[in-house]
Amino acid sequence: MLVMNPWIFGAPALVASGLAGMTAYGAVHPRAQLFGPTICRTKSAKQLALTFDDGPNPNVTPKLLDLLAKHNAKATFFLVGKFVRECPELTKEIAARGHVLGNHTDTHPNLFFCGPDETKEQLVRCQEAIHRVTWAAPRWFRPPFGFRSPWLIEIAQRHGMRTAMWTSIPGDWRAKPAEWLIERLKNIAVVRPESAPRAGMPVPLASAPSYGPVICLHDGDYTHQNGDRQRTLQALAYWLPRWRDLGLEFVTMDQTL
Ligand SMILES: [Zn+2]
């Protein structure tokens, strides 16, 4: 009687599930580089890049701009094209105050499910909306929900944009009290070297400078205009002066290169 090796039957399923796992990793994990290069950290442990998605939002963005100005902090705003068309003056003001504008698609779809044509359309429409208002095209792109497809990053590159992800996404969209978000942001300032040297061992020069975080927060709500992001403002009002006191420097995505 012929005994079949169960591996022969199991192998295709294993390969398929392995590929599915790889695809999910490449599409979702913020630091995955499988589908192309992304930037998700700053150059130094002392540098903190604040990024804000889903605006501009007339209910929140002006207050956020004042708060950032009070602490002399520059940030990067990933804007949704449809909101840029609704708020051209606010878009202009974000740029005029020295912040970096990024492209966050036109209507905030999950690009993992968009083909190359639709993806290109989403990026170009947002790019045009921002260019029409500021006379400058963004050089940064962030995919909605962080979802990437195999063609996305190349399309962004072709339109002059690097893709920005994040080190930390505290979940400021969740309906929780500001205290919860303040607590979630506590670990940001803890500077962790990439590989901690062992006791008694000399610190190799190359590993001495570590990297700093890119934090993903939200001044808008992609589902509707005038979304409530008070907890984000409250948490930043708490942390901005403290981060400054800890010696952290606020940088834009341009300064992460
Ligand atoms: Zn978003």
Side-chain angles (χ1 to χ4, degrees), residues 44 90 152:
S44 143
L90 184 51
L152 170 65

Side-chain angles (χ1 to χ4, degrees), residues 208-221:
S210 177
Y211 63 89
V214 173
I215 307 177
C216 177
L217 293 165
H218 297 75
D219 61 331
D221 181 335

Side-chain angles (χ1 to χ4, degrees), residues 6 32 44 60 103 116 119 136 144 148 154 159-160 180 187-189 193 197 217 227:
S44 143
V60 174
N103 180 323
T119 299
R148 286 145 289 162
E154 200 240 308
H159 290 87
W180 174 85
N187 291 333
I188 299 295
L217 293 165

Side-chain angles (χ1 to χ4, degrees), residues 16 70 79 84 87 95 111 128 144 174 178 185 219:
K70 188 177 160 193
L79 307 178
V84 170
C87 312
L111 293 174
E128 285 173 353
R174 288 182 204 160
L185 287 165
D219 61 331

Side-chain angles (χ1 to χ4, degrees), residues 61-82:
T61 313
K63 292 175 203 150
L64 176 59
L65 291 176
D66 287 344
L67 186 63
L68 292 171
K70 188 177 160 193
H71 298 284
N72 198 23
K74 296 286 183 276
T76 307
F77 288 77
F78 289 95
L79 307 178
V80 179
K82 64 176 178 179

Side-chain angles (χ1 to χ4, degrees), residues 39-196:
I39 309 287
C40 49
R41 54 182 63 160
T42 66
K43 283 189 298 191
S44 143
K46 288 272 176 205
Q47 293 184 332
L48 172 62
L50 292 168
T51 66
F52 299 97
D53 291 4
D54 299 356
N57 174 0
N59 194 25
V60 174
T61 313
K63 292 175 203 150
L64 176 59
L65 291 176
D66 287 344
L67 186 63
L68 292 171
K70 188 177 160 193
H71 298 284
N72 198 23
K74 296 286 183 276
T76 307
F77 288 77
F78 289 95
L79 307 178
V80 179
K82 64 176 178 179
F83 293 153
V84 170
R85 285 189 292 277
E86 286 172 22
C87 312
E89 289 309 314
L90 184 51
T91 302
K92 228 180 269 181
E93 196 185 340
I94 302 171
R97 295 231 198 167
H99 303 290
V100 168
L101 304 192
N103 180 323
H104 196 43
T105 73
D106 201 54
T107 61
H108 206 281
N110 185 337
L111 293 174
F112 184 74
F113 300 110
C114 297
D117 289 347
E118 200 183 344
T119 299
K120 184 186 146 205
E121 185 81 352
Q122 280 287 338
L123 270 58
V124 167
R125 279 177 61 85
C126 179
Q127 204 75 337
E128 285 173 353
I130 295 173
H131 188 268
R132 209 170 295 134
V133 170
T134 63
W135 293 102
R139 287 175 314 205
W140 289 94
F141 168 72
R142 175 174 280 156
F145 317 105
F147 270 91
R148 286 145 289 162
S149 62
W151 43 84
L152 170 65
I153 289 170
E154 200 240 308
I155 293 173
Q157 278 170 346
R158 238 187 294 140
H159 290 87
M161 293 181 286
R162 284 189 165 85
T163 299
M165 295 298 289
W166 55 77
T167 326
S168 166
I169 185 157
D172 60 339
W173 61 86
R174 288 182 204 160
K176 302 262 191 185
E179 293 71 32
W180 174 85
L181 185 59
I182 288 170
E183 184 66 24
R184 295 269 294 178
L185 287 165
K186 202 164 81 180
N187 291 333
I188 299 295
V190 179
V191 173
R192 276 185 235 95
E194 220 158 333
S195 54

